[in-house]
């Protein structure tokens, strides 16, 4: 079975085409600047080199048509006919409380995703554009949706409720949802396979540290707490997001600086985090370079980022009454030996022993960076959210075919 995985944004769309018999990527790419007259299509077939085209692509339906044209192209195509794509899987950021797992798209699912537009105004409407665009181009092909929030729906009320008037939860669903669930679920499964133990017997802390950062307590395979909340702003310090702050800062800063709600929202989401403290960049590579060159603000930004992450790891070890393994993933987690070392060197109270040499070795495979004697293992596992979406879609389509 071949599955097309789509991650649709408001003016962009990323795709990967998987052959599920061996989980090989047949082609991948992206369309950027959708709706503008010079949209950019990048297409990379597994058997050839990258193709790049600049042209007018006015909406998501045209973008999907263009992607399908490339997949079937006489020169760089990887399939002969559209009928060779048996299903499409979409990433959807917010599933609210309605979706505890991935589902096949039907009218009721679409209605429910629309109901959730309020909770994820930047993401869910864009995902819906992707779903409708696929429908327009391939009306017979089943589609599935995989939610970033679904993995965290196992959190108990003690973890997901905010200690604020319950009416806000009851009336407006104001609660913690968590994000990056597909990634946390994927690396948890990989970690269990790497450790050779059933996921159901493990206490894991998974750290997805990229531009956005979140940390999850995975107890026996279920998310029991995660650092992002009602929105992806809560929790760890990130590239441009503040993470946890005293909420009273919001009205205070608004009054003092005469900020509007929109401005304060933008300040916390786009102008905070590493960027604000370093005054330089939200990109960890640039922070590390500047730190090494002696830039004091970059050093402080790195130290705060590490300190806040380490505090969450400590909190989640407490939440689960122990931890068997800590997993690092995503851009920074997979690549920054400096961050991992700084975190691990201060977790010796957990019985954690870093293998300094393994930590700095550059490898793309799943690996342990602790000594064999270490009481807590630390693993580096490259995430693969697209593959997880393809797997979830595959599973759902097989189940559906069984039922029919
Ligand atoms: P996103 O959350 O947008 O998917 P990524 O997971 O790709 O982001 O992570 C991007 C982050 O990873 C950036 O801060 C980037 O600097 C960082 N990064 C990538 N490579 C390295 C590296 N070699 N060392 C340190 N940080 C890195």
């Amino acid at each position: 079975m071949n599955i097309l995985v789509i991650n649709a944004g408001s003016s962009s769309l990323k795709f990967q085409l998987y052959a599920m018999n061996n989980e090989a990527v047949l082609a991948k790419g992206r369309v950027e600047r959708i709706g503008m007259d010079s949209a950019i299509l990048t297409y990379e077939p597994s058997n050839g080199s990258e193709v790049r085209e600049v042209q007018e692509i006015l909406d998501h339906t045209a973008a999907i048509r263009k992607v399908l044209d490339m997949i079937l192209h006489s020169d760089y195509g990887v399939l002969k006919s559209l009928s060779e794509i048996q299903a499409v899987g979409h990433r959807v950021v917010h599933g609210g409380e309605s979706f505890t797992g991935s589902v096949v798209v039907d009218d009721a699912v679409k209605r429910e995703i629309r109901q959730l537009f309020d909770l994820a105004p930047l993401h869910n409407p864009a995902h819906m554009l992707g779903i409708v665009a696929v429908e327009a181009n391939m009306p017979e092909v089943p589609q599935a949706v995989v939610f970033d929030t679904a993995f965290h729906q196992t959190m108990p009320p003690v973890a997901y409720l905010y200690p604020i008037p319950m009416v806000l939860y009851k009336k407006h669903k104001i609660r913690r949802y968590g994000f990056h669930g597909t990634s946390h679920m994927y690396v948890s499964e990989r970690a269990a396979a790497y450790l050779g133990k059933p996921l159901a017997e493990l206490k894991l802390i998974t750290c997805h540290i990229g531009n956005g950062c979140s940390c999850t307590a995975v107890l026996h395979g279920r998310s029991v707490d995660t650092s992002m909340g009602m929105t992806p702003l809560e929790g760890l310090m990130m590239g441009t997001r503040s993470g946890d702050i005293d909420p009273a800062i919001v009205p205070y800063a608004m009054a003092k600086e005469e900020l509007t709600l929109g401005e304060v929202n933008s300040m916390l989401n786009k102008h905070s985090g590493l960027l604000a403290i370093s005054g330089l960049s939200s990109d960890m590579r640039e922070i590390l370079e500047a730190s090494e060159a002696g830039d004091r603000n970059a050093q402080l930004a790195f130290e705060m980022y590490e300190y806040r992450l380490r505090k969450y790891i400590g909190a989640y070890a407490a939440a689960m009454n122990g931890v068997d393994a800590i997993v690092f993933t995503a851009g920074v987690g997979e690549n920054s030996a400096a961050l991992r070392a700084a975190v691990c060197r201060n977790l010796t109270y957990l019985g954690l022993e870093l293998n300094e040499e393994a930590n700095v070795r550059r490898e793309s495979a799943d690996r342990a960076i602790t000594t064999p004697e270490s009481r807590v293992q630390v693993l580096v596992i490259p995430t693969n959210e697209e593959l997880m979406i393809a797997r979830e879609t595959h599973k759902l389509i097989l189940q559906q075919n069984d039922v029919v």
Side-chain angles (χ1 to χ4, degrees):
M1 186 187 293
N2 297 318
I3 291 178
L4 182 63
V5 173
I6 305 271
N7 182 354
S10 56
S11 67
S12 70
L13 184 152
K14 290 189 225 147
F15 65 93
Q16 289 205 15
L17 178 65
Y18 281 92
M20 293 314 288
N21 55 346
N22 58 357
E23 296 190 336
V25 177
L26 300 176
K28 63 179 177 181
R30 59 187 181 276
V31 186
E32 291 157 286
R33 297 170 55 83
I34 298 172
M36 296 168 223
D37 53 8
S38 54
I40 306 163
L41 171 99
T42 318
Y43 170 82
E44 193 185 332
S46 58
N47 54 4
S49 44
E50 189 179 281
V51 182
R52 199 178 131 93
E53 289 185 1
V54 179
Q55 59 189 265
E56 190 180 76
I57 298 179
L58 283 184
D59 57 21
H60 285 66
T61 303
I64 295 280
R65 193 178 321 121
K66 200 60 222 166
V67 168
L68 296 174
D69 284 351
M70 294 308 256
I71 288 171
L72 301 176
H73 197 277
S74 54
D75 294 334
Y76 8 85
V78 290
L79 299 180
K80 296 259 174 312
S81 126
L82 210 53
S83 63
E84 291 174 66
I85 300 177
Q86 283 87 3
V88 176
H90 294 264
R91 174 195 182 209
V92 174
V93 164
H94 220 306
E97 288 189 321
S98 321
F99 297 105
T100 55
S102 312
V103 288
V104 173
V105 176
D106 59 17
D107 287 343
V109 167
K110 281 191 287 185
R111 230 179 357 257
E112 198 56 46
I113 295 174
R114 286 201 180 93
Q115 294 278 328
L116 296 166
F117 278 6
D118 261 2
L119 280 175
L122 299 179
H123 290 102
N124 276 23
H127 303 319
M128 186 54 83
L129 290 175
I131 294 167
V132 171
V134 168
E135 239 169 40
N137 281 283
M138 323 160 79
E140 306 302 327
V141 177
Q143 304 192 66
V145 277
V146 180
F147 300 93
D148 281 20
T149 50
F151 182 57
H152 302 301
Q153 278 296 304
T154 47
M155 281 195 288
V158 70
Y160 75 66
L161 287 175
Y162 290 109
I164 56 177
M166 279 299 267
V167 63
L168 293 173
Y169 169 58
K170 294 202 174 124
K171 255 173 86 184
H172 305 295
K173 295 287 174 220
I174 295 180
R175 51 157 282 179
R176 310 184 62 253
Y177 292 97
F179 298 87
H180 291 146
T182 313
S183 176
H184 289 291
M185 175 159 78
Y186 177 78
V187 298
S188 302
E189 288 179 4
R190 298 286 296 208
Y194 183 89
L195 296 168
K197 292 201 178 129
L199 192 50
E201 289 174 13
L202 287 168
K203 295 176 178 179
L204 302 174
I205 299 176
T206 52
C207 307
H208 178 111
I209 313 294
N211 280 317
C213 305
S214 68
C215 193
T216 297
V218 184
L219 179 64
H220 306 152
R222 294 154 66 89
S223 167
V224 290
D225 205 347
T226 191
S227 58
M228 284 178 167
M230 166 154 154
T231 78
L233 184 56
E234 190 179 336
L236 300 171
M237 173 169 162
M238 316 186 201
T240 62
R241 292 183 211 139
S242 62
D244 296 336
I245 61 164
D246 181 344
I249 292 170
V250 172
Y252 192 81
M254 284 176 77
K256 290 283 180 198
E257 288 285 314
E258 295 180 15
L259 300 174
T260 63
L261 268 177
E263 283 166 340
V264 83
N265 203 19
S266 158
M267 175 186 89
L268 295 174
N269 277 290
K270 300 196 179 128
H271 305 284
S272 295
L274 286 176
L275 176 63
I277 302 300
S278 70
L280 193 74
S281 172
S282 63
D283 190 299
M284 183 52 93
R285 278 164 299 199
E286 290 180 34
I287 299 294
L288 290 168
E289 271 171 35
S291 293
E292 264 173 40
D295 185 310
R296 201 41 217 132
N297 294 333
Q299 288 166 359
L300 178 61
F302 179 85
E303 284 162 19
M304 286 174 63
Y305 189 87
E306 182 275 324
Y307 177 65
R308 286 175 164 242
L309 170 59
R310 181 155 43 91
K311 283 206 298 184
Y312 261 97
I313 292 175
Y316 287 169
M320 294 189 289
N321 190 17
V323 52
D324 297 305
I326 299 167
V327 183
F328 282 94
T329 194
V332 181
E334 290 165 31
N335 295 301
S336 177
L339 178 75
R340 294 190 303 255
V343 169
C344 292
R345 282 186 198 128
N346 288 298
L347 292 177
T348 48
Y349 76 97
L350 289 174
L352 187 158
E353 262 180 45
L354 181 67
N355 177 341
E356 302 270 355
E357 188 265 327
N359 183 38
V360 295
R361 210 181 304 140
R362 290 201 76 78
E363 254 178 74
S364 56
D366 298 357
R367 64 192 202 279
I369 57 165
T370 29
T371 64
E373 295 76 39
S374 182
R375 238 185 322 125
V376 176
Q377 292 294 302
V378 178
L379 309 179
V380 180
I381 298 185
T383 194
N384 195 338
E385 287 156 287
E386 292 78 12
L387 176 58
M388 197 75 211
I389 294 172
R391 282 184 186 163
E392 289 280 297
T393 305
H394 189 215
K395 199 164 64 185
L396 284 169
I397 301 305
L398 290 180
Q399 277 167 6
Q400 197 184 40
N401 292 349
D402 268 359
V403 172
V404 171

